[in-house]
Amino acid sequence: APMILISCDALRADRLGSYGNPRGLTPNLDALAHDGTVFARARAASSWTLPSHLSIFTGFYHAFFGNIRNLNPEIPTLGEEMRRLGYLCHAMTGIPWMRPQHGFGRGFHSYKYEPKENGRPMADVVSDALAWLDGNGDAPFMLFLHACSTARQYLTRSSRSRNLIVTVPPRLTDIRIASTSGSGSSRLSL
């Protein structure tokens, strides 16, 4: 079975319908959660991206690493383990803390790191994922998708100019993305 790990930097669980928010802010992520696995007691291992993702990729708390700038090459990563199990592993990110030289690219057949100011928007990441899926047949795969679209709420109002709408249908390969102009306040709909 395919494995898709989606990391939305700075996304609060209490904004998601799958975690009980009744306002309907995230219908497409909620639909994805309905057919996937939702962890009821998931907590970030740290308050910021790099050590949190070190923990996601290794299963260890970040305090174990000492130097959190680089993964110890002796500690196996999620990419390495999935590759060992025969999965075709691909990752897409653009946030500076997720550089492959920190060790995040280990085990992945391809690791697309394209830094952008304030990280890559989810629309770009999903578009790249769909293109990758089209070119990689029916082999079992693992995708790691990481974006910072949700972190926009912490930016200045003038820097928030778009809303992102990702439509998640029953099959990942049918995802459609639309971007709409924002006015006054910006709200992310996933």
Side-chain angles (χ1 to χ4, degrees):
M3 177 183 161
I4 303 168
L5 175 58
I6 302 171
S7 176
C8 301
D9 219 85
L11 178 63
R12 291 174 41 165
D14 66 356
R15 298 298 187 246
L16 301 168
S18 57
Y19 283 93
N21 187 307
R23 296 182 354 191
L25 300 175
T26 57
N28 299 311
L29 278 178
D30 299 338
L32 184 61
H34 181 268
D35 294 330
T37 302
V38 175
F39 296 92
R41 297 179 54 149
R43 300 287 184 266
S46 179
S47 62
W48 63 291
T49 303
L50 177 59
S52 286
H53 283 80
L54 287 173
S55 295
I56 291 169
F57 274 52
T58 65
F60 290 101
Y61 282 104
H62 66 279
F64 173 81
F65 296 105
N67 173 6
I68 62 170
R69 297 282 182 209
N70 298 295
L71 276 171
N72 180 330
E74 296 177 17
I75 299 172
T77 66
L78 178 62
E80 290 170 326
E81 290 301 306
M82 295 302 288
R83 185 176 188 152
R84 185 182 61 76
L85 293 171
Y87 281 72
L88 187 59
C89 301
H90 183 64
M92 285 157 272
T93 185
I95 189 167
W97 301 116
M98 301 295 294
R99 291 182 187 106
Q101 59 262 40
H102 289 307
F104 289 109
R106 287 192 0 230
F108 286 91
H109 293 89
S110 57
Y111 191 94
K112 186 172 184 175
Y113 169 71
E114 291 183 351
K116 305 248 181 184
E117 183 179 354
N118 303 317
R120 291 186 74 207
M122 186 58 84
D124 293 351
V125 172
V126 171
S127 179
D128 288 346
L130 293 174
W132 182 84
L133 285 170
D134 285 342
N136 284 289
D138 295 327
F141 66 87
M142 182 192 86
L143 282 175
F144 170 66
L145 311 176
H146 181 258
C148 286
S149 299
T150 50
R152 289 182 182 175
Q153 65 184 310
Y154 303 111
L155 304 176
T156 62
R157 181 174 298 247
S158 63
S159 65
R160 292 183 285 162
S161 61
R162 296 182 348 171
N163 286 339
L164 172 68
I165 301 168
V166 178
T167 305
V168 181
R171 292 185 41 200
L172 177 66
T173 55
D174 296 332
I175 290 177
R176 298 293 176 254
I177 304 164
S179 183
T180 60
S181 296
S183 59
S185 67
S186 177
R187 184 172 88 178
L188 178 65
S189 300
L190 287 178

